[in-house]
Amino acid sequence: MATAIEVITALLTLGGLVYLLLALWGARAFAHFWRGRVSSEFAPDVTILKPVKGVDPRMYAGFVSHCRQVYAGRFEILFGVSSLDDPAVGEIERLKVEFPAVAIRLVVCTERLGTSGKVSNLVQMLAAGTFEHVLINDSDIAVTPRYLATVMGCFEEETVGLVTAPYLGKTAERGRGLTVWAKLEALGISTDFLPGVLTARTLEGGLRFGLGSTLAMTRTALEKAGGMEALVEYLADDYEMGARIAAAGYRVELCPEVVETSVPGYDLRGYCVHQIRWARSTRDSRKLGYLGLGVTYAVPWALATMVASGFALWSFTLLSLVLLARVAVALSVGVGLLRDGQVLRDLWLLPLRDLTGLMFWAWSFAGDTVVWRGEVFRLQDGRLEKV
């Protein structure tokens, strides 16, 4: 039995090592694809949809970054709220005063069309938009002045139906918001999540899904994919939107423009709630791929191999190789591609990040409930059911 366990953990470790090498290859392929490309001058008029609920500490700064775009085409920003009593309304009115030259509109979404309040609002906001090209991102996303130019330039190729963007999670710089759990969340985004996306892009010959940080599309592609209304019951609406547009025959492009999302100052409970929702959402979206996700956590498997082998010398060699590959992925993707300096600050937390990642992967199979914005739902094949 002891030998069998040793063999199993060693094989899982080797599988994880192969994955890390694939992630490095995926990062190299992505960087090579965009290196030396001339920025496109294609700048179609675009409607930006931002569903909001409540006020986050960095939300207004993110709003401002969208208003300061260096963009040749026209753009409008539509903010969607479920009620005029939402505290975000005051911030939107403040934004209108600060940027009178930007076309900013508030859309009050009074109908609840499905269990996903966010997608329900998006359906109503989309109907109020003006232009053929549409861009959706979350309320806390902050962008560079070249964001629209880079994202929308990808549509110069007519085969592109959806453009998405990599992102990093920004923690508080100091104070109570800079918890170890917030650091683990940000570290996971830059050194775990995006390497997985790049690996999928390489193995599948392109992306077949979208990322919620940026979902830019044409109305034509969205309609051919079934429309926004078809997503009102889904938690992972970003994944579904990309998957459906790809299935409709369009290309999903991952552009090189990096955006920032805000990471709250999680306590342990908040971190666990968010991670398990993320894990179960991914489990329901990519069932076969998610089964293999457990193998990718090479560091915990290498540690388990050391214990199972009685701390044999060869197991230390294997652990050293795994740690070298894991750090290489973190630096090449987190620092090299995302320019996320927080990765260097928190590099020592990588083993803990991988241990918790493996734990949440296993825990995700133990149930179907998720907590989203204070509401409890049951997931059934990616669809939300109110508990």
Side-chain angles (χ1 to χ4, degrees), residues 35-46:
R35 186 178 294 122
R37 287 205 169 195
V38 178
S39 298
S40 172
E41 295 183 359
F42 186 66
D45 299 337
V46 56

Side-chain angles (χ1 to χ4, degrees), residues 98-169:
E98 188 172 350
F99 296 93
V102 178
I104 299 171
R105 285 191 282 150
L106 178 65
V107 180
V108 182
C109 309
T110 56
E111 296 183 74
R112 184 67 178 250
L113 305 175
T115 47
S116 173
K118 171 189 169 184
V119 180
S120 178
N121 285 3
L122 282 172
V123 171
Q124 297 165 77
M125 294 165 68
L126 184 63
T130 305
F131 304 120
E132 163 68 8
H133 287 78
V134 178
L135 187 151
I136 303 167
N137 62 23
D138 293 333
S139 61
D140 64 341
I141 293 293
V143 301
T144 71
R146 293 289 301 171
Y147 171 66
L148 275 184
T150 304
V151 173
M152 303 312 296
C154 295
F155 285 103
E156 186 172 24
E157 297 186 33
E158 293 182 359
T159 56
V160 173
L162 184 141
V163 179
T164 192
Y167 64 99
L168 61 89

Side-chain angles (χ1 to χ4, degrees), residues 30 33-34 42 44 46 133-137 147-166 207 209-218 221-222 238 241-243 245-246 250-259:
F30 179 72
F33 179 79
W34 289 106
F42 186 66
V46 56
H133 287 78
V134 178
L135 187 151
I136 303 167
N137 62 23
Y147 171 66
L148 275 184
T150 304
V151 173
M152 303 312 296
C154 295
F155 285 103
E156 186 172 24
E157 297 186 33
E158 293 182 359
T159 56
V160 173
L162 184 141
V163 179
T164 192
L207 281 192
F209 53 87
L211 309 179
S213 56
T214 295
L215 293 165
M217 72 213 76
T218 61
L222 182 59
D238 51 353
M241 193 179 298
I245 289 177
Y250 292 93
R251 206 170 89 226
V252 176
E253 190 71 89
L254 180 66
C255 79
E257 182 72 14
V258 178
V259 303

Side-chain angles (χ1 to χ4, degrees), residues 262-345:
S262 181
V263 176
Y266 288 118
D267 57 14
L268 175 58
R269 184 178 182 279
Y271 176 66
C272 290
V273 166
H274 186 255
Q275 288 295 306
I276 200 63
R277 186 182 77 233
W278 203 347
R280 287 177 177 162
S281 172
T282 307
R283 180 201 69 189
D284 272 26
S285 298
R286 290 176 64 89
K287 291 182 172 64
L288 291 178
Y290 189 75
L291 285 174
L293 182 63
V295 179
T296 67
Y297 296 105
V299 174
W301 292 124
L303 293 171
T305 301
M306 287 180 59
V307 175
S309 68
F311 298 96
L313 182 59
W314 64 266
S315 69
F316 283 89
T317 302
L318 187 58
L319 176 63
S320 298
L321 289 172
V322 165
L323 287 173
L324 179 63
R326 183 68 176 99
V327 170
V329 169
L331 295 179
S332 63
V333 178
V335 180
L337 292 181
L338 294 178
R339 308 296 181 190
D340 185 1
Q342 299 171 133
V343 172
L344 295 175
R345 179 195 69 189

Side-chain angles (χ1 to χ4, degrees), residues 19 142 148 204 233:
Y19 163 77
L148 275 184
E204 298 176 6
E233 305 293 342

Side-chain angles (χ1 to χ4, degrees), residues 161-179:
L162 184 141
V163 179
T164 192
Y167 64 99
L168 61 89
K170 196 73 174 177
T171 66
E173 295 185 6
R174 61 183 65 85
R176 290 185 176 182
L178 189 59
T179 66

